[in-house]
Amino acid sequence: GAVVSQHPSWVICKSGTSVKIECRSLDFQATTMFWYRQFPKQSLMLMATSNEGSKATYEQGVEKDKFLINHASLTLSTLTVTSAHPEDSSFYICSASASTGGRGYTFGSGTRLTVV
Amino acid sequence: QKEVEQDPGPLSVPEGAIVSLNCTYSNSAFQYFMWYRQYSRKGPELLMYTYSSGNKEDGRFTAQVDKSSKYISLFIRDSQPSDSATYLCAIGTTDSWGKLQFGAGTQVVVTP
């Protein structure tokens, strides 16, 4: 089955530094990946759609200069949280699919970011 | 108003009982409906997926969709302690595959 690997699973960084999170499709190619954010005891909120070879599409209210997304290959999308602050501490999750159709979207295991 | 409403719980049931979960949504344009299970600090895992109104069964799980009422349900029969998790409903449209609107998630605790 489709496997999406996300790395790191957790990271602690100092305020003002940048953190990169990787999302890889291990056994399929993904032209589109999605990045979500989840605060404790809250639901997943879509941040952006990552398109291979083109610019990401950000949801309303998400700062594109703060959350940099790069989808340079069909198996890798990265999310970089720039100049991180404590309020950026959250659980970040990606999803990807080998084909269109809601059934096909597999989620990564998530990255817990803590900014101190 | 949120597009998808889901009671966050927690919902506590004894082992063997039926767990009943539900969500309501506001936009009739939504066309497909999913239920995910999420364990603490893990990514969501797809449980059920359906397009149409009616019931869909898979093992101990039954998903129910009523498009006229904009209401979806998930039932878990013969619940086990391993079913203790947060259950999220998610809905989407076919013109934006993968862009899902999630409910808040209901925390379920199945006690032995």
Side-chain angles (χ1 to χ4, degrees), chain A residues 48-87:
Chain A
T49 303
S50 172
N51 303 298
E52 187 270 334
S54 64
K55 290 184 179 180
T57 304
Y58 291 83
E59 296 300 302
Q60 190 174 8
V62 177
E63 299 175 61
K64 61 181 181 181
D65 294 330
K66 180 166 191 59
F67 299 100
L68 300 179
I69 291 173
N70 185 290
H71 194 154
S73 78
L74 286 170
T75 59
L76 174 64
S77 175
T78 60
L79 169 68
T80 301
V81 183
T82 63
S83 186
H85 287 95
E87 57 265 30

Side-chain angles (χ1 to χ4, degrees), chain B:
Chain B
Q1 181 188 6
K2 293 180 183 177
E3 295 216 72
V4 185
E5 298 277 1
Q6 183 178 8
D7 187 335
L11 177 64
S12 183
V13 300
E15 183 175 357
I18 295 176
V19 176
S20 175
L21 304 164
N22 56 76
C23 290
T24 58
Y25 61 96
S26 56
N27 190 342
S28 58
F30 289 120
Q31 297 160 301
Y32 63 91
F33 310 91
M34 309 160 91
W35 284 95
Y36 285 86
R37 177 174 61 196
Q38 186 178 26
Y39 292 110
S40 182
R41 299 173 184 261
K42 298 293 184 184
E45 171 193 7
L46 180 64
L47 289 177
M48 299 288 286
Y49 171 92
T50 183
Y51 268 108
S52 55
S53 283
N55 293 352
K56 181 177 182 179
E57 193 172 311
D58 184 0
R60 296 186 296 116
F61 299 94
T62 298
Q64 203 171 72
V65 174
D66 182 346
K67 287 188 176 182
S68 62
S69 302
K70 301 189 186 67
Y71 189 88
I72 62 174
S73 301
L74 178 71
F75 301 96
I76 308 173
R77 291 183 299 280
D78 188 23
S79 58
Q80 306 294 313
S82 58
D83 294 326
S84 298
T86 297
Y87 291 80
L88 302 114
C89 61
I91 54 179
T93 61
T94 55
D95 59 356
S96 298
W97 286 114
K99 290 182 67 172
L100 301 175
Q101 296 289 334
F102 280 87
T106 300
Q107 183 185 2
V108 172
V109 178
V110 181
T111 55

